[in-house]
Amino acid sequence: MSQSHVEKIADAVLYEGYVLYPYRPSAVKNQQRWNFGALCPESYSLAQNGTESWIMKTECLLQRTPLAKLEVKVRFLHLLTREVGQAIADCRLPFAECGHFEAGICDSHFALVPALEVNGKLFQTWQEAVERDVSLPGIDVGRAITQPQALNFAFPSNEQIEPLCDERTGKIVGVIIRRQQAIEGAVKIQIVDCGLPVGDSQSNQLSKLSMHILNLTPFEAAEHKSRDEALMRSFVSTHTILNLHDGEFVSLLDPPEAFREPAAQCDNVGTYPVLAGEEGARDCMLSSPIILYDYPRIAPESAGSLFDGTEIDEILTLRIMTLTDEEKREMRGADDRARQILERTETLPVEQLMKMHGAMKSLKG
């Protein structure tokens, strides 16, 4: 299996919709973000009558040998708020060697503002994200048939306050406040035999994997909370990478004739499992909230991720080039990923731009 193909696609899924053109926090379409694969707390889902999901369910088929082992990796983004505070008095407060204040010191010294310019840089209120992985390695597939597997996980809350100092005076003129809420969840796995032997060996069986990802984060008075508040306690861009040793997955898009009926009975909720890796390999499956085909690829003509699947690279690149200096300044201040898009676009060689214009592909048959 080639992990490089899988990792590139999985990263594209993870950050799809992270920030959309025109890549500025003030843009209306960036005010409500990350709609793909968002699992909110159960209480919020119930308060919304199920219009927001708290469970993701993956079902797929695998041909197992007696030695088959399964590796499961669930990936998602854990959001955090980034707020900007402006000093409301002459502030020379000491801060720790790491360059951060202790939590709670801001209330009496700083006022929250949408944006603040310091030393020629623009700092803006925004949402950032931390990548999270939850792994279940080395699951004995045969044993999992009689003993369903489960793993509870949790990530704690966190708060950091970073001072912004005026280079000329040395005074603290503002702060960046990053707050992240605690989240809790569970992964549950059950495997059942379909009663169909595979090949000539009666010991090799066709089995169905059922996996649930649940957001179990406590969220009191959920009926009175906003979606933005729920998102801070959600798993966002949730997807799963499944690796199988001593066995093979079955394509749900194009299953063998003998397996079409059990493939049609697989029930996937909020996700679409496809074969991933090298063309023809069957040891890896990517279960994604975005509809993909078997063996998806990142186009080789792409110079880098633009996070916006509603447009093609060439159009987005040309549009970024037409942004005004003030628009680019805001884009640069959004976060590191938006800044990297701008820097890559501004230094893009003509040869690379021409590659995006189109590619001729031969047709076989």
Side-chain angles (χ1 to χ4, degrees):
M1 175 185 58
S2 174
Q3 282 294 335
S4 61
H5 287 308
V6 179
E7 289 170 358
K8 287 179 180 178
I9 289 294
D11 285 344
V13 170
L14 188 64
Y15 285 101
E16 178 65 23
Y18 176 83
V19 57
L20 304 175
Y21 176 85
Y23 303 110
R24 303 195 308 275
S26 62
V28 173
K29 63 166 136 180
N30 283 319
Q31 300 302 308
Q32 181 172 330
R33 308 165 69 199
W34 292 302
N35 290 321
F36 292 108
L39 300 182
C40 66
E42 178 185 7
S43 58
Y44 185 75
S45 176
L46 295 176
Q48 300 299 313
N49 297 316
T51 57
E52 299 285 350
S53 298
W54 70 283
I55 296 176
M56 178 177 283
K57 178 183 178 183
T58 294
E59 287 194 344
C60 61
L61 301 177
L62 54 92
Q63 303 175 54
R64 67 176 184 87
T65 70
L67 300 177
K69 291 189 179 298
L70 178 69
E71 294 181 1
V72 177
K73 179 181 284 188
V74 176
R75 305 173 77 226
F76 59 88
L77 295 178
H78 184 183
L79 308 190
L80 61 87
T81 57
R82 186 185 74 201
E83 298 178 315
V84 179
Q86 184 174 15
I88 55 179
D90 186 4
C91 185
R92 296 180 182 272
L93 293 173
F95 51 91
E97 292 182 2
C98 63
H100 293 86
F101 287 117
E102 293 182 1
I105 202 170
C106 284
D107 294 344
S108 59
H109 294 84
F110 300 93
L112 295 180
V113 293
L116 181 66
E117 183 175 345
V118 181
N119 305 320
K121 296 181 180 179
L122 186 65
F123 298 91
Q124 306 166 80
T125 296
W126 188 236
Q127 289 178 346
E128 298 177 356
V130 175
E131 296 180 15
R132 300 296 192 193
D133 290 350
V134 179
S135 296
L136 290 83
I139 298 173
D140 186 311
V141 175
R143 182 177 299 174
I145 292 176
T146 57
Q147 299 177 4
Q149 306 292 299
L151 175 66
N152 288 358
F153 61 88
F155 296 97
S157 61
N158 186 37
E159 179 175 315
Q160 289 187 337
I161 303 173
E162 177 185 348
L164 299 174
C165 297
D166 188 308
E167 293 177 347
R168 295 180 295 104
T169 65
K171 294 182 179 180
I172 298 172
V173 296
V175 289
I176 296 175
I177 309 163
R178 292 180 172 89
R179 294 190 178 98
Q180 194 167 46
Q181 302 296 324
I183 55 175
E184 300 177 19
V187 180
K188 298 183 177 181
I189 295 174
Q190 185 173 17
I191 300 175
V192 297
D193 273 339
C194 298
L196 294 175
V198 177
D200 297 330
S201 174
Q202 294 296 315
S203 62
N204 295 348
Q205 297 286 324
L206 181 72
S207 301
K208 181 165 76 172
L209 165 69
S210 295
M211 185 184 77
H212 292 78
I213 305 169
L214 304 90
N215 187 337
L216 304 177
T217 305
F219 193 40
E220 297 180 359
E223 66 274 13
H224 301 300
K225 301 295 179 64
S226 68
R227 186 175 187 272
D228 279 344
E229 290 175 297
L231 277 176
M232 302 313 298
R233 295 164 178 82
S234 298
F235 317 154
V236 177
S237 295
T238 311
H239 62 282
T240 306
I241 300 174
L242 302 166
N243 290 313
L244 186 62
H245 304 274
D246 290 306
E248 293 185 346
F249 288 107
V250 175
S251 170
L252 296 185
L253 298 179
D254 186 22
E257 185 63 36
F259 299 156
R260 287 193 179 277
E261 183 175 346
Q265 293 174 353
C266 288
D267 180 26
N268 287 283
V269 179
T271 188
Y272 306 89
V274 297
L275 295 172
E278 295 285 357
E279 188 83 24
R282 297 185 179 276
D283 57 351
C284 182
M285 187 158 275
L286 172 63
S287 187
S288 160
I290 300 171
I291 298 176
L292 300 171
Y293 46 86
D294 285 338
Y295 309 112
R297 292 284 187 274
I298 299 295
E301 295 82 10
S302 176
S305 179
L306 293 166
F307 308 132
D308 192 334
T310 63
E311 301 284 357
I312 63 173
D313 287 28
E314 182 185 24
I315 294 176
L316 282 174
T317 300
L318 293 173
R319 286 181 173 177
I320 293 169
M321 290 178 175
T322 65
L323 295 176
T324 66
D325 290 342
E326 184 58 32
E327 289 171 333
K328 290 181 179 179
R329 181 168 174 267
E330 185 183 349
M331 178 179 173
R332 189 176 288 110
D335 69 4
D336 286 344
R337 291 184 175 86
R339 176 181 54 78
Q340 290 167 7
I341 290 174
L342 180 60
E343 292 176 351
R344 185 176 68 240
T345 301
E346 292 183 324
T347 59
L348 193 68
V350 175
E351 296 80 6
Q352 183 65 48
L353 182 61
M354 292 304 296
K355 286 182 180 179
M356 299 181 194
H357 188 64
M360 182 68 69
K361 299 183 184 297
S362 62
L363 299 176
K364 297 181 180 179

